[in-house]
Amino acid sequence: MIWALSGASTIASQYMIGALRAQEGGTVRWVVSGSEDHARRYAQSHDIPHSGTDLAAALEDPAVEAVYISSTNEKHHAQAMAAIAAGKHVLCEKPLALSVAEAAEMIAAARAAGVTLGVNHHLRHAGSHRAIREAIASGRLGRILSLRVFHAVHLPEHLRGWRLDNPAAGGGVIPDITVHNADTVRYLLQEDPASVIAESAVSGMGQGVEDSAMSVWSMPSGAMVFSHESFTHPHTTSGLEVHGTEGSLIARDVMAQDPKGALELITAAGRSALPFDTTSLYETAVRRFEAAARDGREASASGTDGLKSLMIALAVRDAAQSGTRQSLDYGVAS
């Protein structure tokens, strides 16, 4: 598939350009950025033939089949809508948009245009997460009682800037990490939270945005979910724990961009390591997206998945700001 990049970003440089090119016929033809100089230097360093500041020029190129959007969050909606209107498939970074209304409009537009809209929720494409989901679905843990996500990190210096000081651009740990936790929980448990309670804080980095949050989610099945995310924790690890009536599964270092970590299954029979596939998360995500686009199917992380993870994150933010439980109504996502 032939791609245009909307955003000359770090994630594209570190992960996505390689993942796009790893596919059969995978080609990156354009990179578009807000800065002409940055776009040109980025294109030169990554052997991309065309660059510029005008997304319309890339969209007018008949060779371009799909657009990967990794611009700052407030630009996702307009750029995706332009790409959809041009008949291009769209793989968009999370959060899909900054509001429910914008995300719903993007989904409706893609359906009307007959193009595939996907969200780059990479964690559901990790072999570790797929193994956890299989263990849950197969009943190895029994009835699920609780799930704990610990996703506090130390935000690298080169990723700071707008994430820490620009709410208009979608800064803050909730739009950056809570959406990942929301998609992970939805993917693993195959259900959507009914309500959330939360607190957020500024614990050393945020300037006008939250840099830490904790929340508890009530699930329709009766399971309880705890989610912790932060930008300010330099000496910890990420992961999750799933606890059921017949067993627990402890996953360490799996809330990551690389296929790493370890899974331990604990039952009455004892403790055992759970193996998993270590293929690149992003190569898997792109492979599945391209297959969906070719077949006219929804992406493995669809626009609706992106909308629901956004709704959960917004409910966490509202609960933290108001100090009250927030109920979730997914009617707009149906």
Side-chain angles (χ1 to χ4, degrees):
M1 187 167 281
I2 300 175
W3 289 81
L5 308 181
S6 182
S9 65
T10 299
I11 186 172
S13 177
Q14 289 184 335
Y15 292 101
M16 289 301 291
I17 291 174
L20 298 173
R21 288 173 170 165
Q23 313 304 316
E24 183 176 355
T27 303
V28 180
R29 183 170 170 84
W30 279 86
V31 59
V32 178
S33 173
S35 164
E36 186 79 43
D37 288 342
H38 180 55
R40 183 176 62 255
R41 291 193 301 269
Y42 195 94
Q44 290 172 347
S45 65
H46 295 291
D47 296 320
I48 300 171
H50 303 285
S51 66
T53 59
D54 185 8
L55 179 59
L59 297 179
E60 289 169 1
D61 185 340
V64 171
E65 299 170 272
V67 179
Y68 168 61
I69 298 174
S70 62
S71 53
T72 50
N73 297 339
E74 86 284 6
K75 298 175 183 176
H76 291 180
H77 171 259
Q79 292 175 352
M81 292 296 289
I84 291 166
K88 313 298 185 182
H89 303 294
V90 173
L91 179 58
C92 186
E93 272 303 322
K94 55 76 210 165
L96 182 57
L98 292 185
S99 73
V100 170
E102 285 183 346
E105 185 179 16
M106 294 158 72
I107 294 167
R111 288 175 177 167
V115 299
T116 296
L117 171 64
V119 185
N120 201 23
H121 278 306
H122 63 287
L123 291 171
R124 63 165 56 206
H125 297 103
S128 55
H129 289 237
R130 287 182 278 133
I132 296 167
R133 173 168 158 165
E134 192 280 330
I136 294 170
S138 66
R140 296 179 73 179
L141 305 184
R143 179 172 59 87
I144 302 304
L145 302 172
S146 65
L147 189 154
R148 182 171 78 93
V149 184
F150 42 105
H151 201 170
V153 300
H154 195 238
L155 188 66
E157 192 162 349
H158 69 278
L159 294 180
R160 296 177 189 177
W162 64 270
R163 286 179 174 84
L164 298 176
D165 63 12
N166 193 341
V173 76
I174 290 174
D176 200 69
I177 298 184
T178 306
V179 289
H180 277 314
N181 294 353
D183 187 68
T184 294
V185 170
R186 293 188 60 253
Y187 174 74
L188 295 180
L189 298 186
Q190 292 295 286
E191 59 175 344
D192 300 317
S195 66
V196 304
I197 56 174
E199 289 196 10
S200 63
V202 178
S203 59
M205 286 189 180
Q207 302 174 48
V209 298
E210 81 291 335
D211 59 28
S212 298
M214 291 185 176
S215 55
V216 176
W217 312 351
S218 296
M219 308 301 286
S221 65
M224 295 180 65
V225 171
F226 171 77
S227 177
H228 176 208
E229 44 274 342
S230 180
F231 286 150
T232 67
H233 289 42
H235 305 297
T236 187
T237 185
S238 73
L240 60 90
E241 298 176 358
V242 188
H243 303 286
T245 56
E246 302 300 324
S248 291
L249 205 160
I250 312 300
R252 302 287 180 182
D253 292 322
V254 299
M255 306 298 287
Q257 292 177 288
D258 296 303
K260 62 180 185 176
L263 307 181
E264 184 180 33
L265 181 64
I266 307 170
T267 67
R271 296 171 176 259
S272 60
L274 193 65
F276 57 89
D277 177 24
T278 56
T279 302
S280 162
L281 288 64
Y282 293 101
E283 288 185 20
T284 300
V286 173
R287 183 177 68 252
R288 292 184 173 188
F289 176 85
E290 291 192 356
R294 285 193 301 269
D295 297 341
R297 297 182 284 105
E298 282 204 334
S300 54
S302 67
T304 298
D305 290 318
L307 171 56
K308 287 187 173 183
S309 68
L310 173 64
M311 294 174 75
I312 296 163
L314 292 177
V316 168
R317 185 188 66 186
D318 291 346
Q321 292 177 347
S322 67
T324 60
R325 180 178 295 275
Q326 298 291 307
S327 297
L328 284 132
D329 179 0
Y330 298 97
V332 69
S334 60

